[in-house]
Structure formats: structure tokens, C-alpha cells
Amino acid sequence: MSVFCWDFDGTLAYSDHLWSNSVFRALNETVKNHSVTFQDIRRCNQTGYTWHTPERDFTAFVGEKWWELMNAHFYNSFISLGINENEARSASEKVRGIIMLPENYFLFDDTLAVLEAAKEKGHTNIILSNNYPELETITDFLGITKYFDRLVVSGLVGYDKPRKEIFDIAKFFYPNENFVMIGDNPTADILGGKAAGMTTVLVHKGFDKNADYCFDNLNDIISIM
């Protein structure tokens, strides 16, 4: 049997520019008149998150401290866009609550079927995700937590894919098992998974020469179970 490591965002579930939309909404709810555009927020969000610098060790910034680090990024982004300190601080503190709204998340049509198939065939499913610490709150809402034996989340362990340590944490719990990394990111999931000795599956992103398998749909993964 195998251990299937599933990325979350863009693999099992999707959202509409989750972080940029949430940051922009927080600003709009705080400041009624401003000149900041959604594209301004998008530019600020191209850096500043832990997964943008996976070479760094973030073990000192897990759980609540992960959010403190992110709030500082939101705050600095607002300041750079001309928002005053009080409003920037207030808007920054709202982002977390908006990110956690269940209405932001949608499962792909075949997510439940492929997770059920893996369990029925005797495989182990775990989530291996670059994400915020409370990801399980969202998997609970989506009704998929029951399909997973474990969630390994960067905001809880302090390492982001493709860094080797986050894969090692997942492998520690299942010694001598065959691992399969499934995700939509050619660097974080495919290169990271291969470096960790895992079979790799790219989904929803077309062809990538580094992946062992490339599938347009999650249901196609059943063929390699």
C-alpha cells in the first residue's frame, strides 16, 4: 500500500485569488475611500509569505506566531500603498478572519471520489500543504478531514515545500512505505517530492517533464492506485 500526500490549494480545493481578495476586502472594510487597486494588492502578495522563501527556517514562527509574521506583511503592504498606520493595523487584523470564511473554498468535482477510492483500496491519505495553521478547520467544513490520517501543514511545522524537512516529517510517521506526492505546483510538489524520494503526480497544470505522472483530473489518479 502507499501513502498519498495531497497538496490542498489548487489540488483538492480551489478559491478565487484567496489571499489577494482577502487582503483587499480587509482594506475595503476598514478604509472607505482609498486609491489602492486589487492589482496593487496582487503585486504586494507576490512576496512576503513563508512559501515565497522556503529556504528559510520558520520553526520560530508556527501557530499564532505564523499569523504575527503574516500580519506584519499585511501591515507593511498597506503602509507601502499609502494607508495610514492606524488603518493599516486595523485592516491587517481583519485578514485572518476573512481567510477563514468557509465560503472562500470549493472542492473540485472529483475530490471526494478520488479520496474515497484511495481509502477503499487500503492506501493512506495525508495532507502535505504550505498553508496557515488552522487548515483543518476548512477541511472539516468541506467534509474531507475524515479521509486523512494526518495533516502536515507548514504553518504548524515551520518548513515549506519544497524544503526537505516538511517531507521528512510526513515520512517519519510511515517508515518503509511508498510515498506519492500529488499537487499542482511543479516546484513545491513535484521537485520537492522527487527530492524526497516520492513518486510525483502533477494535477490541473498540464504536462511537466519532472513529474512521474501528469493528470488533468483527480479521478485519473485512480488508475495508478
Side-chain angles (χ1 to χ4, degrees):
M1 295 298 104
S2 296
V3 178
F4 284 83
C5 302
W6 302 86
D7 174 53
F8 179 74
D9 285 317
T11 299
L12 297 172
Y14 63 93
S15 54
D16 181 21
H17 297 302
L18 176 65
W19 291 94
S20 293
N21 272 323
S22 297
V23 173
F24 194 46
R25 176 174 169 178
L27 177 62
N28 290 333
E29 290 182 359
T30 305
V31 185
K32 300 307 178 184
N33 295 303
H34 62 78
S35 59
V36 177
T37 67
F38 177 71
Q39 290 306 317
D40 292 331
I41 298 296
R42 290 274 289 163
R43 283 191 291 273
C44 289
N45 272 359
Q46 290 175 359
T47 60
Y49 294 84
T50 58
W51 43 81
H52 288 140
T53 53
E55 68 277 5
R56 291 183 57 190
D57 181 329
F58 289 102
T59 51
F61 299 95
V62 296
E64 287 299 315
K65 288 190 176 297
W66 188 91
W67 278 110
E68 290 177 11
L69 190 65
M70 292 303 98
N71 285 348
H73 168 62
F74 306 144
Y75 174 82
N76 290 330
S77 296
F78 292 140
I79 292 295
S80 73
L81 295 170
I83 305 302
N84 70 55
E85 292 183 3
N86 288 337
E87 291 176 328
R89 187 173 297 105
S90 179
S92 299
E93 292 171 352
K94 293 180 181 179
V95 176
R96 181 179 186 175
I98 296 171
I99 285 286
M100 298 298 297
L101 291 174
E103 65 204 47
N104 292 325
Y105 303 87
F106 306 90
L107 292 177
F108 286 99
D109 291 340
D110 47 0
T111 295
L112 295 179
V114 73
L115 292 177
E116 288 175 354
K119 296 294 283 186
E120 288 172 358
K121 293 175 182 292
H123 299 296
T124 298
N125 291 321
I126 68 174
I127 283 181
L128 185 54
S129 176
N130 291 348
N131 229 308
Y132 51 81
E134 305 96 327
L135 181 60
E136 189 169 349
T137 301
I138 299 303
T139 61
D140 284 346
F141 167 77
L142 293 172
I144 61 174
T145 306
K146 63 184 179 182
Y147 296 107
F148 298 99
D149 290 74
R150 190 173 303 276
L151 278 72
V152 179
V153 181
S154 62
L156 287 173
V157 301
Y159 301 108
D160 292 83
K161 297 177 294 183
R163 187 160 173 147
K164 180 177 181 292
E165 287 89 342
I166 190 170
F167 293 97
D168 287 345
I169 290 169
K171 294 172 73 175
F172 172 81
F173 297 103
Y174 308 95
N176 305 317
E177 295 287 350
N178 175 57
F179 279 78
V180 181
M181 181 68 224
I182 303 164
D184 69 312
N185 189 301
T187 299
D189 300 314
I190 304 307
L191 293 183
K194 287 187 79 70
M198 298 183 178
T199 300
T200 57
V201 181
L202 183 72
V203 293
H204 305 139
K205 287 294 179 69
F207 175 77
D208 185 277
K209 65 180 181 180
N210 294 308
D212 294 302
Y213 301 93
C214 299
F215 295 129
D216 292 328
N217 302 301
L218 294 175
N219 264 338
D220 293 334
I221 297 171
I222 295 174
S223 67
I224 65 167
M225 289 182 176

